[in-house]
């Protein structure tokens, strides 16, 4: 098969790495890719959200399967357009991607189909929003309805913070059109976990559980990021809990979406809060998590390509996946300053040595480019995902940090405590 992966982050590098290992893959392309992906795939200089260009390219090249990494092109309808052009594409249609593209849509679906989630209201009017906030009090959560690059959520600890967040979105237009409507919801307490499932419109096949770390600094301090590291398995996600999440949240979502005439095909990423009343849905994402995908791909024993094809073809009910028992852990190396302002174009050294020194280590590139003289350059906020396997999370963690310490990049930083919850559980 000729396969095209769309995207340029660590998630897409991990997908390319897994796809390139498949005997079914004859040629691998990636749009636009990065310097690490270029070692596995032929990179084509097309932006991930340039729907017309990608559809045209895939048709000209007679691509057999397109795998879409990020949410933006999904919400823009890339999969619909590819399907119309007769090209198999992994990922939900625009109608189904609304699950991530509109938080209000997701909440209404939960209300209609009895899926446990935080109590909420939808608002376009700031007076009504303020009245609702005053009525419910703090803590309370204010969310931009649309895609806001992970920045649209305020978990307000005070009334003022919540009132300001509503005003920022509805009056100051801080998130543009994505914040013209907001969702205000009850603040849930508990531990956060994520569940991933391949869905073919009818059947949902759970993947291994993974957990990420959203805060920028050690001890879960500092600003929220796209994710500073992840590990799998997640000890908080027992088999019993997973069965409950599939029964009460994932399957009802798939059934509800089918009922709504928007069958969900692709990977569903459910962000959950484990509350005293059981698991509740925080959000649905319509793609793999980044960096959760990196640890899932390291642990996947089965060939990824048939799983993707079975998802697109609607035959998951007869499908199964096998996983390595080993734990996987990834440490994100980011440019100093991320998630705020950071420098681009700084030189990274020692990557090959760090990768080669331990066969259990794989370094995925999240934001890199290659200078004319061959030097590796940082080209984004999150730059490298140093990923390792181990018999348990503690061993994977030790191996990943040994590799991090071999990398020579003074302008980068990482958290030193990725996996701390799981390691503490293992010690206990
Ligand atoms: P979201 O993008 O909706 O997942 O929100 C980003 C983060 O905000 C989540 O990972 C949670 O840490 C937090 N969050 C979102 N909704 C709630 C809620 N209802 N209660 C508490 N925390 C929340
Ligand atoms: N790591 C969280 C996300 O991909 O949204």
């Amino acid at each position: 098969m000729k396969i095209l992966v769309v995207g340029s982050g660590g998630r897409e590098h991990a997908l390319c790495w897994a796809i390139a290992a498949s005997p079914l893959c004859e040629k691998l392309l990636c749009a636009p890719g990065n310097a690490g992906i270029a070692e596995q795939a032929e990179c084509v200089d097309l932006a991930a959200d340039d729907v017309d260009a990608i559809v045209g390219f895939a048709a000209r090249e007679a691509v057999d399967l397109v795998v879409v990494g990020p949410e933006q092109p999904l919400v823009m309808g890339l999969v619909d357009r590819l399907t119309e052009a007769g090209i198999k594409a992994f990922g939900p249609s625009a109608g189904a991607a609304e699950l991530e593209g509109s938080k209000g849509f997701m909440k209404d679906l939960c209300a209609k189909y009895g899926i446990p989630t935080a109590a909420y209201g939808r608002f376009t009017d700031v007076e009504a929003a303020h009245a609702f906030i005053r009525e419910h009090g703090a803590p309370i959560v204010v969310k931009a309805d649309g895609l806001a690059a992970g920045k649209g959520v305020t978990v307000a600890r005070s009334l003022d913070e919540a009132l300001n967040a509503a005003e920022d979105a509805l009056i100051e237009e801080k998130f543009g059109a994505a914040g013209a409507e907001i969702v205000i919801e009850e603040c849930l307490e508990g531990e956060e976990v994520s569940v991933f499932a391949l869905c073919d419109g009818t059947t949902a096949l759970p993947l291994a559980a993974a957990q990420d770390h959203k805060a920028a600094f050690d001890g879960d301090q500092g600003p929220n990021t796209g994710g500073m590291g992840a590990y799998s398995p997640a000890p908080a996600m027992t088999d019993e809990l997973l069965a409950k999440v599939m029964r009460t949240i994932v399957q009802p979502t798939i059934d509800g979406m089918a009922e709504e005439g928007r069958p969900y095909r692709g990977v569903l990423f459910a962000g959950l809060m484990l509350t005293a009343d059981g698991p509740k849905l925080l959000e649905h994402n319509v793609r793999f998590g980044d960096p959760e995908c990196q640890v899932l791909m390291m642990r996947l024993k089965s060939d990824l390509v048939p799983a993707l094809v079975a998802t697109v073809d609607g035959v998951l009910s007869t499908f199964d996946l096998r996983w390595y028992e080993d734990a996987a852990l990834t440490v994100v190396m980011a440019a100093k300053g991320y998630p705020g302002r950071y420098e681009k174009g700084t030189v990274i050294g020692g990557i090959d040595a760090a990768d080669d020194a331990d066969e259990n280590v794989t370094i995925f590139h999240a934001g890199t480019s290659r200078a004319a003289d061959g030097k590796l350059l940082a080209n984004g906020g999150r730059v490298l995902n140093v990923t390792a396997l181990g018999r348990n999370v503690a061993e994977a963690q030790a191996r990943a940090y040994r590799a991090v310490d071999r990398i020579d990049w003074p302008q980068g930083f990482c958290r030193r405590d990725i996996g701390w919850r799981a390691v503490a559980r293992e010690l206990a």
Side-chain angles (χ1 to χ4, degrees), residues 134-355:
R134 288 208 174 83
E135 184 190 334
H136 289 83
I140 193 162
V141 183
V142 180
K143 300 182 174 183
D145 182 75
L147 295 182
K151 296 180 179 78
V153 175
T154 304
V155 180
R157 295 284 155 201
S158 72
L159 211 54
D160 271 348
E161 199 186 341
L163 296 170
N164 287 336
E167 205 166 301
D168 284 348
L170 296 176
I171 305 288
E172 307 296 330
E173 299 178 7
K174 185 171 168 188
F175 307 108
E181 178 171 344
I182 57 175
V183 168
I184 304 180
E185 64 182 43
E186 168 200 10
C187 187
L188 301 175
E189 306 289 342
E191 183 173 348
E192 271 188 74
V193 292
S194 301
V195 164
F196 295 86
L198 292 180
C199 306
D200 68 358
T202 319
T203 300
L205 178 67
L207 305 181
Q211 209 154 344
D212 85 339
H213 294 260
K214 289 220 171 68
F217 308 132
D218 286 18
D220 293 328
Q221 301 297 306
N224 221 39
T225 70
M228 293 301 290
Y231 56 94
S232 172
M237 187 49 68
T238 59
D239 290 347
E240 196 189 354
L241 183 58
L242 178 62
K244 183 166 186 183
V245 169
M246 294 304 292
R247 191 174 68 245
T248 61
I249 296 174
V250 175
Q251 193 63 50
T253 298
I254 299 310
D255 295 346
M257 291 297 280
E259 186 74 28
E260 297 295 311
R262 306 175 186 232
Y264 189 90
R265 293 190 196 92
V267 59
L268 185 69
F269 162 4
L272 310 167
M273 190 70 93
L274 303 181
T275 74
D277 296 334
K280 292 193 180 177
L281 182 66
L282 290 175
E283 63 164 349
H284 274 317
N285 295 303
V286 298
R287 51 177 173 82
F288 280 106
D290 186 348
E292 291 93 327
C293 184
Q294 289 81 315
V295 291
L296 294 183
M297 291 306 115
M298 289 282 279
R299 291 193 60 220
L300 183 64
K301 197 183 215 171
S302 303
D303 187 338
L304 178 64
V305 174
L308 300 175
V309 172
T311 303
V312 180
D313 288 347
V315 295
L316 278 179
S317 61
T318 56
F319 209 84
D320 208 2
L321 286 170
R322 299 179 65 208
W323 302 89
Y324 290 110
E325 287 294 316
D326 286 4
L329 180 139
T330 189
V331 176
V332 172
M333 295 186 78
K336 279 180 187 162
Y338 174 80
R341 282 175 176 282
Y342 54 82
E343 202 184 334
K344 278 190 183 179
T346 57
V347 177
I348 304 168
I351 265 236
D352 292 336
D355 211 327

Side-chain angles (χ1 to χ4, degrees), residues 34-213:
N34 63 39
I37 292 173
E39 288 169 25
Q40 257 112 33
E42 185 182 318
C43 293
V44 279
D45 193 14
L46 301 173
D49 57 5
D50 191 344
V51 171
D52 287 335
I54 290 176
V55 175
F57 175 78
R60 269 197 313 282
E61 293 286 319
V63 166
D64 298 296
L65 174 69
V66 179
V67 182
V68 185
E71 62 276 17
Q72 190 74 49
L74 293 168
V75 170
M76 290 167 72
L78 177 56
V79 167
D80 311 60
R81 292 279 309 280
L82 288 165
T83 308
E84 280 160 28
I87 301 163
K88 257 190 218 304
F90 176 86
S93 65
E98 281 271 280
L99 273 182
E100 179 169 358
S102 166
K103 291 185 190 291
F105 171 81
M106 183 280 270
K107 299 295 286 189
D108 288 352
L109 188 93
C110 288
K112 186 164 173 189
Y113 294 96
I115 298 164
T117 188
Y120 72 106
R122 297 178 71 167
F123 301 92
T124 50
D125 174 62
V126 76
E127 301 304 328
H130 280 182
F132 184 88
I133 291 166
R134 288 208 174 83
E135 184 190 334
H136 289 83
I140 193 162
V141 183
V142 180
K143 300 182 174 183
D145 182 75
L147 295 182
K151 296 180 179 78
V153 175
T154 304
V155 180
R157 295 284 155 201
S158 72
L159 211 54
D160 271 348
E161 199 186 341
L163 296 170
N164 287 336
E167 205 166 301
D168 284 348
L170 296 176
I171 305 288
E172 307 296 330
E173 299 178 7
K174 185 171 168 188
F175 307 108
E181 178 171 344
I182 57 175
V183 168
I184 304 180
E185 64 182 43
E186 168 200 10
C187 187
L188 301 175
E189 306 289 342
E191 183 173 348
E192 271 188 74
V193 292
S194 301
V195 164
F196 295 86
L198 292 180
C199 306
D200 68 358
T202 319
T203 300
L205 178 67
L207 305 181
Q211 209 154 344
D212 85 339
H213 294 260

